[in-house]
């Protein structure tokens, strides 16, 4: 692990000086290597899937782990999209002149070495690598044991592409062990080699990272996302948004986990929403009002309001208007992504202003909580904290800055 850190630090120095054209060429080579290595990547993924099935992993977990030709092409396309982004390094963020004639610029710079600890999503390997490279950073990736082989095959393709473009392959390194001690070494900072840690996984992983890390963390706790259907919601729009937010892909962090329905609109909105969710194959757990509206609804417990299911399950509660919805989200939410469906602009503005989440939507599905959908080309995670980066962490969020001061002989008076 010490050697990985030292090689990453050396690669970061080289990568930080690479120009936009050089980084773009490297990422296009990476995308080509991923596409060309499809059969090797699929073979590795098949072994990981077989192991996960033998361990009794649920269908939602297997879906997160699964790669097929279409998903591999999507991974390569995401790398190409990142290559097409403006270079975030060297941007002049601010420029001002002092009365003494000093000209001061705040300029975007790479972070250095980014450690990414992730679990079951193999696409994180390529997305994190490409984003870090475009932002001039080296990446140390530690994959979960369930995706170890797939991540290794993807990392090999990434390193091959970097080498073909003349950039150091050690700019992207996958930790070559499943030993959990490697995570502890990364959280300790690898003797100063790691500048920031990004966790991508479940609550237990993120809580461990936040508790033990000795370097800054881009925190992503969990996606306990809500959709609030206000009384002024258009019924068909509400139905389409709710079903999409829950069921498009149930295993992603932007999937809705709780549906809140305004009591003033429950008579017209509640039963159709419940019926649409159940028809789509979703298990619904609700309060007494929801159960009365549809006998197929199961009883919700207090724990359901706190649960990120990542599966075809949703909790439903009827609330007394916007204030009660805001209170529920403040109590149970994870500051990730929350949405309101309403035709009342004033109510929508209050929701957007008062919900303290990284992403807040009006009349749109929570499944848009994604760096690609934001035009970032991809994301290394959704940061739910409040420092430095919040929401999708793309190339701009993977930079820091310094101040560059130009003078003409000025000295500071005694």
């Amino acid at each position: 692990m010490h050697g990985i850190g030292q090689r990453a630090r050396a690669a970061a120095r080289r990568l930080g000086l690479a120009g936009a054209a050089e980084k773009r060429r490297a990422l296009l080579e990476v995308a080509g290597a991923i596409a060309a290595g499809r059969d090797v990547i699929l073979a590795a993924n098949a072994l990981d899937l077989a192991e996960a099935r033998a361990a009794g992993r649920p269908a939602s977990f297997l879906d997160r782990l699964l790669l097929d030709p279409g998903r591999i092409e999507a991974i390569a396309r995401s790398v190409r999209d990142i290559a097409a982004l403006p270079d975030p390094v060297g941007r002049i963020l601010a420029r001002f002149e002092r009365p003494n004639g000093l000209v001061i610029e705040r300029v975007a710079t790479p972070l250095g070495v980014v450690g990414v600890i992730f679990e079951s999503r193999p696409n994180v390997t390529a997305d994190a690598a490409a984003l870090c490279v475009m932002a001039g950073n080296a990446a140390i990736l530690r994959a979960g044991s369930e995706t170890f082989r797939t991540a290794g095959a993807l990392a090999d393709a990434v390193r091959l592409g970097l080498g073909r473009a003349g950039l150091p392959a050690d700019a992207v390194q996958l930790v070559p062990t499943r030993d959990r001690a490697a995570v502890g070494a990364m959280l300790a900072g690898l003797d100063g080699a790691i500048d920031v840690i990004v966790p991508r996984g479940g609550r237990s992983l993120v809580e461990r990272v936040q508790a033990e890390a000795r370097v800054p963390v881009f925190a992503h706790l969990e996606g306990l996302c809500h959709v609030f259907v206000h009384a002024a919601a258009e019924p068909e729009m509400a139905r389409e948004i709710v079903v999409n937010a829950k069921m498009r892909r149930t295993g992603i962090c932007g999937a809705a986990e709780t549906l809140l329905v305004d009591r003033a609109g429950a008579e017209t909105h509640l039963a159709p929403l419940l019926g649409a969710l159940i028809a789509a194959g979703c298990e619904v757990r609700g309060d007494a009002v929801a159960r009365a509206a549809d006998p197929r609804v199961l009883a919700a417990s207090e724990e359901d309001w706190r649960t990120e299911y990542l599966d075809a399950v949703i909790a439903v509660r009827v609330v007394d208007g916007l204030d009660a919805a805001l209170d529920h989200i403040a109590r149970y939410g994870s500051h990730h992504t929350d949405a309101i469906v309403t035709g009342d602009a004033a109510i929508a503005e209050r929701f957007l202003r008062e919900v303290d989440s990284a992403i807040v939507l009006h009349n749109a599905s929570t499944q848009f909580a994604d760096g690609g959908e934001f035009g970032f080309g991809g994301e290394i995670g959704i940061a739910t904290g409040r420092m430095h980066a919040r929401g999708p962490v793309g190339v701009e969020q993977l930079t820091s800055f310094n101040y560059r001061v130009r003078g003409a002989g000025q000295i500071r008076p005694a």
Side-chain angles (χ1 to χ4, degrees):
M1 292 302 294
H2 176 81
I4 288 173
Q6 294 306 302
R7 292 192 295 274
R9 179 58 66 190
R13 288 195 294 271
R14 166 70 178 89
L15 199 59
L17 298 174
E22 193 175 9
K23 290 185 289 188
R24 288 194 179 101
R25 185 168 62 253
L27 291 182
L28 292 176
E29 289 284 359
V30 167
I34 290 171
R38 183 186 70 179
D39 292 345
V40 173
I41 296 167
L42 287 176
N45 188 245
L47 294 173
D48 283 337
L49 280 167
E51 192 173 271
R53 290 192 185 99
R57 294 290 191 173
S60 58
F61 181 95
L62 296 175
D63 179 63
R64 292 195 295 276
L65 178 59
L66 171 68
L67 290 182
D68 56 28
R71 288 188 178 183
I72 290 178
E73 174 51 37
I75 290 171
R77 185 168 59 248
S78 177
V79 174
R80 295 188 198 102
D81 290 344
I82 292 167
L85 293 173
D87 189 351
V89 178
R91 290 173 297 134
I92 298 176
L93 306 174
R95 185 182 187 278
F96 50 94
E97 185 172 345
R98 300 294 297 149
N100 61 6
L102 289 177
V103 177
I104 302 174
E105 292 179 338
R106 185 163 67 242
V107 181
T109 60
L111 288 172
V113 178
V114 179
V116 185
I117 302 171
F118 61 100
E119 293 183 331
S120 60
R121 293 189 184 279
N123 64 291
V124 175
T125 308
D127 286 349
L131 289 164
C132 285
V133 167
M134 194 63 195
N137 302 306
I140 299 174
L141 311 176
R142 200 285 184 175
S145 59
E146 299 88 351
T147 190
F148 186 75
R149 300 179 187 87
T150 311
L154 281 164
D156 287 345
V158 171
R159 290 167 59 84
L160 178 63
L162 291 174
R164 284 175 175 170
L167 288 179
D170 285 337
V172 176
Q173 297 177 82
L174 186 78
V175 174
T177 178
R178 302 190 194 204
D179 192 329
R180 292 189 175 220
V183 174
M186 291 178 68
L187 297 181
L190 293 184
D191 301 316
I194 293 180
D195 295 290
V196 65
I197 290 281
V198 181
R200 285 287 302 270
R203 172 181 281 271
S204 61
L205 168 66
V206 179
E207 286 181 341
R208 179 188 175 188
V209 169
Q210 290 179 315
E212 298 181 20
R214 299 183 195 171
V215 295
V217 175
F218 286 165
H220 171 165
L221 185 55
E222 59 184 342
L224 216 165
C225 305
H226 300 77
V227 177
F228 171 47
V229 176
H230 180 250
E234 196 281 315
E236 182 61 19
M237 178 191 292
R239 184 192 67 79
E240 290 183 357
I241 287 174
V242 168
V243 172
N244 182 267
K246 175 71 260 185
M247 298 300 292
R248 174 188 164 271
R249 286 193 68 185
T250 60
I252 66 172
C253 60
E257 305 292 12
T258 298
L259 168 63
L260 303 175
V261 178
D262 189 348
R263 193 178 304 276
E267 186 173 343
T268 54
H269 290 77
L270 181 58
L273 290 172
L274 297 174
L277 285 165
I278 293 169
C282 186
E283 177 183 309
V284 179
R285 303 176 187 178
D287 63 5
V289 181
R291 296 199 306 278
D294 193 315
R296 295 171 294 178
V297 175
L298 306 177
S301 68
E302 175 69 14
E303 190 59 28
D304 284 306
W305 314 123
R306 307 178 189 277
T307 300
E308 182 185 26
Y309 300 107
L310 298 174
D311 205 347
V313 183
I314 195 169
V316 179
R317 170 174 272 179
V318 175
V319 296
D320 292 316
L322 176 62
D323 287 329
L326 294 172
D327 288 344
H328 181 103
I329 293 169
R331 179 176 180 183
Y332 297 105
S334 62
H335 308 290
H336 191 293
T337 299
D338 298 292
I340 183 172
V341 185
T342 182
D344 187 320
I347 290 290
E349 287 306 310
R350 273 198 63 199
F351 187 91
L352 294 173
R353 184 175 66 250
E354 297 182 33
V355 171
D356 182 22
S357 293
I359 303 170
V360 193
L361 305 103
H362 173 213
N363 287 350
S365 169
T366 58
Q367 299 250 344
F368 284 108
D370 174 86
E373 294 296 329
F374 275 46
F376 295 176
E379 68 185 43
I380 204 169
I382 304 287
T384 56
R386 296 178 179 83
M387 298 298 290
H388 181 73
R390 199 174 195 203
V393 178
V395 291
E396 290 188 12
Q397 292 74 30
L398 288 172
T399 60
S400 182
F401 59 83
N402 66 5
Y403 288 96
R404 300 178 186 180
V405 183
R406 292 177 174 85
Q410 292 92 332
I411 61 172
R412 189 170 179 177

